[in-house]
Amino acid sequence: MNYRNFRGTGIAEIGLGTWQLGSVDWGAVDEAAAFNILRAYTDAGGNFVDTADVYGMGISESVIGKFLNAVDKDIFVATKLGRRQDTPGGWQQHFSYDTMKRHLEDSLKNLNVNSLFLEQLHCIPTEAMREGSVFKQLRKFQEQGLIQHWGASVETVEEALICLDQEGLASLQIIFNIFRQHIAEEFFSKAKEKNVAIIVRVPLASGLLTGKFSVETVFPEQDHRNYNADGSAFNAGETFSGIPFDKGIAFANQIQQHLPDKRMAPWALRWILDHPEVTTVIPGASKVAHVQSNVSASGLPPLSAAIHQQLKAIYDDQIRATIRGHY
């Protein structure tokens, strides 16, 4: 495993996303399986785990907390807040100091830690970012020692640029992959200038960039790749990067022909790592085999300039026009 700098801390360039460990939206992952996934990741040298308070409404965080208590390793956990719907009154009340602190303290309890390594806003409304109070609350929590660093998970380039103007921002998390290439051109250089880490989510486009699906693939009813395939439940970009499933299959098959071998998932992750502004990539895993495949990307050599040019041409000429959702 190779490591990249996050505000003076070396974190694994292949992280672990744990939406799956909440046992919702991807199918059930029991605690024993979750422990095996976490153990396989940390045994491979991984030390950066990303979660959120709404992944199973605390289930993912709690499983990670139990794992942290059971192992003697330095593991840096990032969580997120801002999408719980248990406070009436619209976003103004939802992002009040008292509500944010209550949600943050729930995460501390779930993870069984005294201070969060990284707390992130979880794709909150653009208006709340523009208004700015949320950032003041995060700075206050940092002053109180409840969090060590803070950042934001965003949906759009506009939101990324709003956050980059905030003093103290440590990280931005955004969708970036072979199906969503233009993001790098729009703000990566500014993030690097400001020493803001880039955390890449949905790197495999919900599995489309593994090359394991076909147009006959059917997902369970409660899997977001079923109920949000058209973006009817939340931003379409979070599912298949906003690409219609059938077109995504065709694009993935075309992309695979330009990669060095048939291991599409590791090379798709390698493509992301070839962007030096990226700090870490957080693919999810519902099986140990997924972890093993993902972490292998750290040991691959960079893709050639010719391959990068070929993949960019496919994106510019065919893929970008098919993206749905706001980005």
Side-chain angles (χ1 to χ4, degrees):
M1 179 69 73
N2 293 313
Y3 303 86
R4 301 190 180 190
N5 180 53
F6 184 106
R7 295 288 172 113
T9 298
I11 66 171
E13 63 182 8
I14 299 293
L16 178 65
T18 60
W19 187 2
Q20 286 92 333
L21 303 193
S23 286
V24 292
D25 303 317
W26 294 86
V29 178
D30 63 31
E31 188 171 297
F35 266 54
N36 287 338
I37 289 166
L38 289 161
R39 187 172 293 107
Y41 173 68
T42 57
D43 284 351
N47 67 356
F48 184 77
V49 176
D50 179 85
T51 186
D53 57 6
V54 291
Y55 294 167
M57 289 307 295
I59 292 175
S60 177
E61 287 183 331
S62 296
V63 168
I64 294 166
K66 291 178 182 178
F67 182 78
L68 294 176
N69 192 54
V71 298
D72 184 20
K73 294 183 178 181
D74 290 330
I75 301 170
F76 304 101
V77 179
T79 191
K80 299 184 282 291
L81 58 73
R83 298 192 69 83
R84 281 173 54 174
Q85 300 300 313
D86 55 358
T87 303
W91 68 256
Q92 295 93 336
Q93 182 60 34
H94 196 62
F95 300 113
S96 69
Y97 173 82
D98 289 341
T99 299
M100 288 180 66
K101 187 173 183 181
R102 175 165 57 86
H103 292 174
L104 188 158
E105 288 174 339
D106 287 345
S107 291
L108 289 170
K109 182 178 179 181
N110 290 337
L111 290 165
N112 193 29
V113 295
N114 296 320
S115 177
L116 298 174
F117 176 71
L118 175 64
E119 178 69 280
Q120 304 159 96
L121 300 174
H122 196 177
C123 300
I124 68 171
T126 309
E127 293 79 8
M129 295 183 192
R130 287 201 194 98
E131 192 275 337
S133 294
V134 288
F135 302 110
K136 294 178 183 177
Q137 330 287 32
L138 290 169
R139 292 187 190 100
K140 186 173 290 188
F141 299 146
Q142 189 175 34
E143 291 170 0
Q144 295 168 350
L146 297 174
I147 61 177
Q148 298 170 45
H149 307 284
W150 57 269
S153 181
V154 299
E155 299 282 11
T156 69
V157 171
E158 177 192 10
E159 292 168 353
L161 293 173
I162 290 171
C163 293
L164 280 170
D165 284 337
Q166 292 293 327
E167 186 67 31
L169 180 79
S171 65
L172 278 171
Q173 184 178 138
I174 199 159
I175 300 169
F176 179 61
N177 56 47
I178 298 175
F179 284 170
R180 191 73 71 98
Q181 299 185 28
H182 68 280
I183 298 295
E185 302 167 3
E186 310 232 2
F187 73 87
F188 274 23
S189 61
K190 184 173 182 179
K192 184 177 181 179
E193 290 171 7
K194 290 180 170 286
N195 191 31
V196 172
I198 297 293
I199 301 171
V200 172
R201 72 176 187 276
V202 198
L204 298 176
S206 308
L208 269 180
L209 288 169
T210 66
K212 296 179 180 179
F213 299 155
S214 72
V215 292
E216 287 79 31
T217 301
V218 176
F219 299 98
E221 183 178 351
Q222 298 304 313
D223 191 312
H224 76 101
R225 293 170 293 184
N226 178 317
Y227 71 79
N228 194 56
D230 60 356
S232 60
F234 43 82
N235 183 20
E238 304 293 346
T239 305
F240 305 131
S241 292
I243 305 295
F245 183 71
D246 56 345
K247 291 184 178 180
I249 293 294
F251 292 146
N253 289 338
Q254 186 177 358
I255 288 166
Q256 191 165 25
Q257 304 311 308
H258 295 274
L259 300 177
D261 57 41
K262 297 298 183 181
R263 297 181 301 146
M264 188 174 188
W267 285 112
L269 295 174
R270 180 67 253 178
W271 179 90
I272 297 170
L273 294 176
D274 285 350
H275 295 78
E277 303 89 348
V278 170
T279 305
T280 186
V281 187
I282 51 170
S286 55
K287 298 178 181 177
V288 168
H290 298 163
V291 176
Q292 295 168 337
S293 172
N294 294 339
V295 299
S296 71
S298 185
L300 294 176
L303 290 163
S304 68
I307 291 176
H308 276 278
Q309 291 169 1
Q310 292 161 359
L311 297 181
K312 187 176 188 304
I314 294 171
Y315 178 75
D316 290 339
D317 297 342
Q318 302 177 52
I319 297 175
R320 184 169 181 177
T322 70
I323 300 174
R324 301 169 301 179
H326 49 283
Y327 61 90

